[in-house]
Amino acid sequence: MELFTSKHLSFKLIVLLILVGAIKAAAQETSRYPLIPYPSKLITGTGSFIISTKTNIKTDSRFESEAEQLSELLGNGLGKKLSINKSEKNSRIKLVYDASITAAEGYKLSVTPQQVTISAKYPAGMFHAVETIRQLLPVSIEEGIAHKQLSLPAVTIADEPAYDWRGMHLDVSRHFFSVSYLKKFIDRLALYKMNKLHLHLTDDQGWRIEIKKYPLLTEQGAWRTFNNQDSACMKRAADNPDFTIDKEHIIQRDGKTLYGGFYTQEEMKGVVAYAAARHIDIIPEIDMPGHMMAAINSYPFLTCNGENKFGELFSKPICPCNETTFEFAENVFTEIMDIFPSKYIHIGGDEVDRSDWGKSDACKALMQREGIKDLPALQSYFINRMEKFFNSKGRKMIGWDEVIEGGVTKSAIVMYWRTWVPDAPVKAVKNGNTVIMAPGEPLYFDNQPDQYTIYKVYHFNPVPKALNNQEAKAIIGAQAEIWTEMIPSEKRADYMYMPRMTALAENLWTNKPDRYESYTKRLVTQFARMDAMKINYRLPDLPGLLNNYVFTDEGKLSIDKPLPSLNIRYTTDGSVPDVQSSELPSPLTIKTSQQIKVAPFTAAGTRGDIYTLNYKQQQMLGPIKIAPPQPGLMCSYYKAYFKETALMRNAKIDSTFISDKIAVPASVKVPSFGISYKGYIDVPADGIYSFYLNCDDGGVLSIGNDVTVNNDGNHSAQERSGQIALKMGAHPFMLDFIEGGGGFTLKLRYSVNGSEPKEVPAGWLKH
Ligand code: ACM
């Protein structure tokens, strides 16, 4: 009875009102303030501030260029820039200096129906505030559509980033990207408050920056005949035009077709200035001592023995044992420092085939003279000497995490990429180094994105678990990489990094993983902005699709649209769906075994990923008798490198063990291996079972005597899935898994008759 006293009722009412308020605030967060990254503090307001061409801006003299940027931004939406005043009169948008905002990139924004006040201590913070305002304005401003007036929702924001280093990398060597694309890229970084652009300017496949002292680096080194990566792209272009090599980088010279290009120093200085105006620092990387084939081609004196070819894994490096190499490197970096004012210069230092150094007389003599004990230490000799040179010019050196192998000074900054060496960043921090986290998983944005990618990027924790709070301060942020071996066009580049860069941006700025749901809703509004900006972003995944389906009588295919505005089209004749293809009915009934290709399309005709769905009619598979079943699967372990799982069949088994789960034992430490899990799967009921095999590298699952999921070959983590109709009882089960090197993933989940996927219960696995 107590429950119904008026005291409790009013308490319930208050709780209800708070709840309604919270729901309303959450809805506003995603609709009225669809900001990415979401500010660290935002208080919603009521009403709006109306901007017309008559609205004036007043600025503190420290923020004149940001005031100009704001005026231009608003001008895009009003057809005319706003005037900027020094006086108070009529100025209802004010850019003010606020010494109490201590964060270098922090700002405050107050919008009321009467007034907009933007405060910062430094121009970088003021610039981020302008980009916040941009995201609060209608997306049509991106297309320069003139409105009579613009409306800015009332709000109070106090904002600053969680991490100082919020970076993107772009490899312009493997495939080249024009100055105009770099500027577009910078605009997008700025929109999402990223502040570092790392340009990988040189590699085996091309030298992309003019160096006046060594003109052949670009005269010859910037051009190549098509290589195997170009051919692979051309092949893929048959199904996906985004793989077509951008024509503007193909030339004819001396009767030959050449691919390439480079930036003149003047052009690059223009890009640097463009980025600086957007408070983005460009960090140049001249990768050495490895990855130098393009330079060695023109300047063979750089090697120990004149050879310029690939070793077992990597190209032959330049020689750290000749003074002429240091002279070259210092001359190159002197010109680089002249172009790039960044405090940071990246020397690469990754993937060095040091074997020739060991055979060189010059190296033997140097090692003896300097007391250098081994080849990693010889690499450190090179890196540390170059660091001294950088430091003498007032710059800090960054190197990929291999630089710690032979010992590195505390002052070097370590960029961690090798996911399969998880203790590298921990060692670097304990050595006293500052670390930037850029691990391949999940931050190599050249890896094919899938339905899990954005979640993984959003939830990636830049701080390794093994570090305490004090040590964590050495992690200054994170960065994603775009290696472009298989990215030959601007459209493909857009697709690979958008929208996942927005997840990284919010991770590094806001760093509140529990905002994920809200982020996914805000992202939908951002898609509209990306459309207006003509970004070829990857459309959201079609949910719940498998690669291989089975049906006993008839199958039904219906797909929930991830965005209501998308059209899903399909073909059944093997052709790639296009805007002319039929729209998928809901559901499509399938009566015979066949292959269906589906793809989502935007109203503008942009196509998302193409899904190939194989439907097979199958009778329920009857169980087999096993006597008496033992728990767990029988596993064979192979300590060898395999390109495909089938190659395990002829290999020597190193050991065997029993396992009641599909997992790699913790005792496996070698980089390359294979495991075959064999036995029976004992299912508790008749049904259509779906299996999801996520692996890096390859895996093949067979149930009954057929392949149910084929995810074979050497590749980064990817999920493939398939179905089988099983009667209750035991069925032959075999899962072959191979890891080629570079870190593995192995996960098998199941669902039955459309249930949520989960791990296969231990009790089902027998031998
Ligand atoms: C790298 O991916 N070699 C840094």
Side-chain angles (χ1 to χ4, degrees), residues 77-109:
L78 293 165
K80 179 172 170 288
K81 283 168 54 168
L82 302 193
S83 56
I84 301 169
N85 287 338
K86 291 261 168 2
S87 87
E88 289 288 331
K89 209 159 157 278
N90 293 333
S91 297
R92 295 200 298 131
I93 300 178
K94 287 185 190 153
L95 278 60
V96 302
Y97 173 74
D98 182 346
S100 74
I101 299 171
T102 49
E105 296 182 275
Y107 69 93
K108 286 184 183 163
L109 171 64

Side-chain angles (χ1 to χ4, degrees), residues 347-403:
I347 195 162
D350 57 323
E351 298 183 321
V352 182
D353 179 339
R354 308 172 185 119
S355 54
D356 282 0
W357 295 350
K359 296 176 209 146
S360 143
D361 289 341
C363 288
K364 283 179 196 156
L366 176 82
M367 290 171 80
Q368 191 156 34
R369 198 168 64 237
E370 298 285 335
I372 297 169
K373 66 175 192 312
D374 56 18
L375 296 181
L378 180 55
Q379 181 172 336
S380 293
Y381 167 80
F382 174 79
I383 296 286
N384 292 342
R385 237 183 101 167
M386 289 308 296
E387 193 201 359
K388 277 208 186 88
F389 176 73
F390 286 15
N391 293 164
S392 76
K393 305 272 182 190
R395 310 299 181 100
K396 287 178 187 275
M397 187 195 72
I398 305 179
W400 295 109
D401 62 72
E402 285 99 321
V403 298

